[in-house]
Amino acid sequence: MLGLIAQTIFVATRISPPHNSASGCDWRSATGPMGHGTKKGTDKKMQSIDISTLKTRTGTVERVWQIEIQATPEDADKIIDNVMEVDPLIYGRYRRNAFVSAVGSETYLPEDNSTSAVHLGAANKVQTFPSVLIVISVSQDSETLGRVLDAIRDVHHYEEPLIFIKDCWASRADYDPHNSNPNRWWNRDKANAEN
């Protein structure tokens, strides 16, 4: 979807086990803004690789925040639309770029003082509901990130939304919409007709 090269490019080691994340986003970078990670069992900081000057024949890369949100399937568009009020979710020459997964399940065990216990009487009872994962990316600017997090929390159905933030490199292609590459969707019919 987004062509993101995740934090793993930083020779990251997952801190075991992933913290409350279906996608295992408990990754750390020694030099990144997400914290100071160490390999399990050692005190050595992980070495980072700066690829900000990477230029290939087909494009470059740019640092972004990748934000993952777990939500009910019916709330996905509402969340994306509310984020659009504060950030255009630009990727290349496109706006409102987001990935929404197929429907899966979210499960949790409410504590005695949780909202589920207060309103549903569900304290210490396992709850399981349909859920999707929404993935978006924004520029690495703390004010932008703050506005986006507020926009998500404002319309999310949970009092404590499951939101995970990753420090990532995103691919930025140098492309021409009139390119004749036969692999591009707008050229496929013509390429297939010629074969």
Side-chain angles (χ1 to χ4, degrees):
M1 173 245 142
L2 292 176
L4 294 171
I5 305 169
Q7 187 72 25
T8 52
I9 194 103
F10 285 159
V11 193
T13 299
R14 192 166 92 198
I15 309 303
S16 93
H19 178 65
N20 289 336
S21 169
S23 63
C25 67
D26 191 13
W27 294 81
R28 303 284 191 261
S29 165
T31 59
M34 295 298 285
H36 297 283
T38 59
K39 290 185 178 181
K40 188 176 179 184
T42 72
D43 290 332
K44 295 179 182 177
K45 291 182 180 178
M46 288 180 274
Q47 300 298 312
S48 67
I49 301 169
D50 182 4
I51 61 171
S52 61
T53 60
L54 178 66
K55 172 77 174 141
T56 72
R57 178 181 49 78
T58 57
T60 61
V61 294
E62 179 180 306
R63 204 85 176 259
V64 298
W65 294 120
Q66 178 179 319
I67 304 167
E68 298 178 351
I69 308 115
Q70 295 177 21
T72 61
E74 58 272 14
D75 284 348
D77 282 327
K78 178 170 68 171
I79 291 168
I80 295 166
D81 289 341
N82 209 50
V83 169
M84 286 288 296
E85 296 292 322
V86 298
D87 188 87
L89 297 177
I90 291 176
Y91 202 92
R93 299 177 193 175
Y94 297 88
R95 296 177 181 270
R96 201 184 185 274
N97 283 277
F99 172 80
V100 179
S101 73
V103 178
S105 294
E106 180 179 320
T107 185
Y108 57 90
L109 184 67
E111 294 185 1
D112 289 333
N113 60 349
S114 69
T115 304
S116 294
V118 171
H119 294 285
L120 299 175
N124 301 308
K125 298 175 186 168
V126 173
Q127 305 294 300
T128 303
F129 296 100
S131 184
V132 295
L133 184 66
I134 304 164
V135 182
I136 58 176
S137 68
V138 298
S139 64
Q140 279 204 358
D141 170 75
S142 57
E143 288 182 14
T144 299
L145 181 60
R147 286 192 305 269
V148 168
L149 290 173
D150 285 343
I152 295 166
R153 291 178 185 132
D154 284 345
V155 297
H156 201 285
H157 66 291
Y158 284 161
E159 77 281 9
E160 185 67 68
L162 288 99
I163 302 170
F164 302 92
I165 302 160
K166 293 182 183 180
D167 180 10
C168 293
W169 290 99
S171 170
R172 298 295 186 231
D174 290 332
Y175 73 93
D176 174 357
H178 303 290
N179 185 305
S180 61
N181 183 328
N183 295 301
R184 302 297 179 248
W185 65 266
W186 62 89
N187 293 326
R188 283 190 177 162
D189 289 342
K190 182 180 177 185
N192 290 336
E194 290 174 357
N195 291 330

